Amino acid sequence: MQPQKALTDVARTRRLPSSISKSTSLYQIHHVDAFEWLPVAPMNSIEAVVTDPPYGLVEYSDKELTKLKNGKGGIWRLPPSFDGSKRMPLPRFTVLTEADQKSLRDFSFRLSSLLKCVLVPGGHVFIATNPLISHLIYENFMKNGFEKRAEIIRTVYTLRGGDRPKNAHDEFSDVSVMPKSCWEPWGLFRKPCEGRVQDNLRKWKTGGLRRISESEPFKDLILSSPARRRERDIAPHPSLKPQNFLRQIVRAALPLGKGTILDPFMGSGSTIAAATACKLRSVGLEVRDEYFTMAESAIPQLAELEV
């Protein structure tokens, strides 16, 4: 199904009959599958997308999430505690099969084709990924006509990494199976502009990125600690991104500070909270019951935090 005729006011976006929604003056959140919402959303109704998708892979299946809750791991790597601190669990992207990789390619192709319809010309997509799978995501955005503009590098320093061979730590004490990951890539893509960037900015308010200040541009390297304990207490989501980082991203996404940011996989609502803290309009979509409920309470609390 193709999106409707272009409408620029996101408040007039059609809501699916089965969705549960909540609105404030700055944001709307919908309890709905993004792949059901996006095909009926108006064309040219969103100015930017900032999202960290589950990619439709096994790590967010009911089976694997149940294992995670029960502390049994499965595809999730369950870290030990150090000095009373415990890392958040992370999915093992190294175990993806050829079928999983094909699913990921199909997922990203479908997502990028739908996002290109709802975005205005010059609208940017910031999409979180992983060094092991980023190429599978990026290639399909470019196949769908998006321009790859950059890769935003979020530096992340965790408690552990570079682990020795499993069950052979002592035998191979000087060997790491993989490098310790210290960064997270966010792909940055742009829907082609109508004419020159200056023309697109005048008509659609998009096409570029908001500068940090008059003398300082937005940069592709962002120093970022993991989400603070206070944030994790408010929103105990397995892949929670910190407000300090997200507020920089959402601010840059709207070059003139005007328009609406979409997160089609909002999880606990951290992107929506970041946009709210920056006084920017946003729309969040979430299909899982527990995460939508979490987002309802977490968004206003996260938005009020000082960073």
Side-chain angles (χ1 to χ4, degrees):
M1 181 184 297
Q2 291 297 316
Q4 301 175 62
K5 188 176 180 181
L7 293 173
T8 56
D9 186 353
V10 75
R12 289 181 283 173
T13 302
R14 278 179 54 188
R15 295 179 182 176
L16 296 176
S18 60
S19 69
I20 300 172
S21 305
K22 178 179 179 179
S23 300
T24 71
S25 60
L26 280 176
Y27 66 84
Q28 300 176 8
I29 57 174
H30 304 285
H31 184 192
V32 66
D33 188 332
F35 289 115
E36 294 179 2
W37 190 92
L38 286 168
V40 297
M43 293 182 67
N44 298 337
S45 60
I46 297 293
E47 281 72 26
V49 174
V50 177
T51 193
D52 179 13
Y55 295 116
L57 294 174
V58 291
E59 76 269 19
Y60 281 95
S61 67
D62 290 335
K63 176 182 176 182
E64 293 299 330
L65 285 174
T66 298
K67 289 181 180 180
L68 173 61
K69 290 177 183 177
N70 294 335
K72 294 189 179 297
I75 197 171
W76 290 87
R77 183 175 70 241
L78 299 178
S81 296
F82 291 91
D83 300 325
S85 298
K86 188 174 182 178
R87 288 189 305 165
M88 295 295 288
L90 295 171
R92 304 173 194 264
F93 288 111
T94 54
V95 305
L96 296 182
T97 65
E98 288 187 13
D100 293 332
Q101 293 183 44
K102 182 181 184 304
S103 295
L104 179 52
R105 285 189 172 96
D106 293 343
F107 176 93
S108 57
F109 186 86
R110 185 182 180 195
L111 175 63
S112 57
S113 65
L114 291 170
L115 292 182
K116 192 175 180 185
C117 291
V118 301
L119 275 169
V120 303
H124 282 87
V125 177
F126 291 78
I127 185 166
T129 181
N130 176 282
L132 295 175
I133 63 169
S134 59
H135 63 289
L136 303 175
I137 311 301
Y138 297 168
E139 66 184 23
N140 285 296
F141 270 79
M142 291 184 285
K143 284 180 181 177
N144 269 310
F146 277 94
E147 303 165 344
K148 187 172 187 293
R149 302 294 291 173
E151 194 167 35
I152 308 302
I153 303 304
R154 174 193 169 215
T155 61
V156 183
Y157 295 95
T158 56
L159 291 175
R160 288 192 65 195
D163 293 330
R164 298 176 177 86
K166 187 175 181 180
N167 299 325
H169 294 66
D170 295 333
E171 183 179 359
F172 300 103
S173 60
D174 293 331
V175 176
S176 292
V177 176
M178 293 183 67
K180 176 178 177 177
S181 180
C182 298
W183 65 288
E184 176 183 73
W186 283 64
L188 179 59
F189 298 89
R190 185 177 70 180
K191 180 176 175 177
C193 294
E194 284 187 357
R196 301 172 298 176
V197 171
Q198 60 180 284
D199 300 324
N200 206 91
L201 282 165
R202 294 185 186 108
K203 180 177 181 179
W204 296 104
K205 315 302 181 189
T206 56
L209 301 169
R210 193 173 181 183
R211 297 174 66 91
I212 295 173
S213 68
E214 184 175 338
S215 61
E216 186 178 4
F218 177 72
K219 303 179 182 68
D220 63 6
L221 177 66
I222 299 179
L223 304 179
S224 173
S225 300
R228 298 172 298 172
R229 182 181 295 275
R230 174 60 176 152
E231 294 175 51
R232 298 197 304 271
D233 289 343
I234 293 171
H237 188 278
S239 54
L240 181 68
K241 297 296 186 290
Q243 283 295 294
N244 180 271
F245 171 76
L246 287 174
R247 292 181 191 183
Q248 296 179 66
I249 294 291
V250 297
R251 185 183 181 278
L254 297 178
L256 303 184
K258 299 178 180 179
T260 298
I261 296 168
L262 171 68
D263 185 352
F265 309 99
M266 73 170 179
S268 60
S270 53
T271 296
I272 307 304
T276 301
C278 295
K279 309 301 182 187
L280 302 172
R281 291 196 301 166
S282 62
V283 174
L285 314 177
E286 178 52 47
V287 67
R288 297 192 67 86
D289 296 349
E290 61 184 300
Y291 294 156
F292 182 82
T293 300
M294 187 187 299
E296 284 186 291
S297 63
I299 290 171
Q301 295 181 71
L302 290 172
E304 291 176 359
L305 292 178
E306 295 288 338
V307 299

